Amino acid sequence: MRALQESLTLSSLSNSTIASPSLSSGPSFYDWLFECHGFWHNVALIIPSLLFVLYLSFQARKSFSKLSHGRSYVIIAYYACLWLVSLLNLIWCCFQAWECTPGKELAWNVLSLLATSGMLFLEVSLVAFLFQGNHFSGLEALTRTFVVSGLIVGLDFLLKAIYLFGFGIPLFIDSNDHTHQMKWNLWVVHRLVLTAVYGFILFMYHSKWRERLPARPAFYNYIVIMFSMNALALFACALTGNGASFGFWLYGATIVCYHAFYLPLLYVTFLADFFQEEDLHLENVYYSEMKDAGFFDADWE
């Protein structure tokens, strides 16, 4: 009788171990899509980022052709950086579940550090382009700007790495503890610096120094949007540091908006005009050639 009971017990254990992998594979997808920050949070991040990468892919052949004929070192370098950061940001958006998965803290921190540093590099380099106005051209100026931007972002990267891995401050993990005082103090300083920079540029547009900045309305709109976004994030970090739940929700909303819409905003501000101007230039060339050939002589008679 005892032998029969032991055999039944062993058979039930073996059946449970066989069935467990099939059961665990289902909740893993459910946790990735619905748990941690929730379904709508993941959708709001992934869909815009994926659509933007698809748009770049569909326009890649046309863009490469224009870049090869344009011979602009600035646009070529910035377009390549935009591609790299867009792919990195899409990966970050797709792996949100790592933030809430035990054992994935290191991978999530490294991925977040790389993604945020790449986007910050685009921000800093674009601000450097704005400060140089219409006098920015040539490989030497591009190298100088990228070196300065790389040094600033490298310092930011180093400080964040020290806080993450040296002092154990969870800069990029917001799902479990949103009352970490030191963490939110650091984010307040970070947002305060960015808000001050964009605020100073916005002040320049309304002062006697506005001639030093590009006269395109798209650049002014970009500065207004980034100043408002960073000021709102600064306010959210200050509220969250004081324990306000609304501040934590507002901070999450600013993070979603930044990762979902910043790269398309940058493309529209800095690169779309270049490609459109190339189209207009080609149309003017074709019109001039047809006019020289006499195609429009009959319209004047």
Side-chain angles (χ1 to χ4, degrees):
M1 186 68 180
R2 182 179 298 176
L4 179 60
Q5 291 178 350
E6 291 178 355
S7 63
L8 292 174
T9 303
L10 291 175
S11 62
S12 62
L13 288 175
S14 62
N15 291 332
S16 63
T17 55
I18 293 174
S20 60
S22 60
L23 293 175
S24 62
S25 60
S28 62
F29 177 77
Y30 178 86
D31 293 341
W32 172 79
L33 190 60
F34 293 99
E35 294 297 327
C36 197
H37 295 290
F39 173 76
W40 293 113
H41 177 276
N42 294 333
V43 168
L45 279 174
I46 295 174
I47 297 301
S49 302
L50 179 60
L51 289 177
F52 182 64
V53 171
L54 291 177
Y55 174 79
L56 292 179
S57 301
F58 291 146
Q59 297 290 325
R61 184 174 181 180
K62 184 179 179 180
S63 300
F64 291 156
S65 177
K66 293 178 179 179
L67 290 173
S68 61
H69 290 90
R71 300 182 182 276
S72 174
Y73 295 111
V74 176
I75 301 299
I76 293 174
Y78 217 74
Y79 183 76
C81 292
L82 179 65
W83 253 111
L84 179 62
V85 176
S86 298
L87 293 175
L88 193 59
N89 181 64
L90 179 61
I91 296 174
W92 182 87
C93 294
C94 292
F95 286 92
Q96 289 291 300
W98 282 4
E99 183 179 353
C100 310
T101 304
K104 294 290 186 179
E105 292 85 359
L106 178 60
W108 172 252
N109 286 329
V110 172
L111 180 60
S112 300
L113 191 58
L114 292 175
T116 55
S117 297
M119 299 181 73
L120 182 62
F121 178 81
L122 293 178
E123 279 194 67
V124 174
S125 56
L126 183 55
V127 168
F129 296 154
L130 290 175
F131 274 121
Q132 298 190 49
N134 298 319
H135 306 289
F136 185 85
S137 61
L139 183 59
E140 182 179 354
L142 172 66
T143 304
R144 182 174 60 252
T145 300
F146 273 19
V147 167
V148 174
S149 303
L151 290 176
I152 295 175
V153 176
L155 178 61
D156 179 81
F157 184 94
L158 179 61
L159 291 176
K160 289 178 180 176
I162 292 174
Y163 294 139
L164 278 171
F165 308 117
F167 298 105
I169 299 176
L171 291 177
F172 302 112
I173 298 179
D174 303 325
S175 58
N176 296 324
D177 180 18
H178 60 274
T179 58
H180 200 290
Q181 192 68 32
M182 179 61 69
K183 165 188 172 179
W184 294 109
N185 289 338
L186 293 173
W187 280 127
V188 165
V189 174
H190 179 81
R191 293 295 179 177
L192 182 61
V193 172
L194 291 176
T195 304
V197 171
Y198 287 114
F200 177 73
I201 300 175
L202 193 61
F203 168 76
M204 290 181 63
Y205 268 108
H206 297 278
S207 67
K208 61 181 180 179
W209 298 311
R210 61 179 176 271
E211 296 180 356
R212 295 176 57 89
L213 300 173
R216 293 184 177 183
F219 287 109
Y220 176 79
N221 295 334
Y222 170 83
I223 295 300
V224 172
I225 293 174
M226 294 307 297
F227 173 77
S228 303
M229 176 69 69
N230 283 281
L232 194 62
L234 173 62
F235 178 67
C237 291
L239 288 179
T240 308
N242 291 321
S245 300
F246 172 74
F248 181 68
W249 175 87
L250 184 61
Y251 174 77
T254 58
I255 293 297
V256 170
C257 292
Y258 179 72
H259 284 274
F261 302 112
Y262 173 71
L263 295 175
L265 172 65
L266 187 144
Y267 178 85
V268 171
T269 302
F270 192 71
L271 294 175
D273 288 342
F274 170 80
F275 296 127
Q276 184 178 3
E277 287 173 0
E278 288 293 316
D279 289 338
L280 294 176
H281 176 70
L282 290 177
E283 290 180 0
N284 292 331
V285 170
Y286 295 151
Y287 176 81
S288 299
E289 292 178 353
M290 295 174 69
K291 184 178 180 180
D292 295 338
F295 280 92
F296 305 106
D297 293 342
D299 296 338
W300 297 94
E301 296 177 354

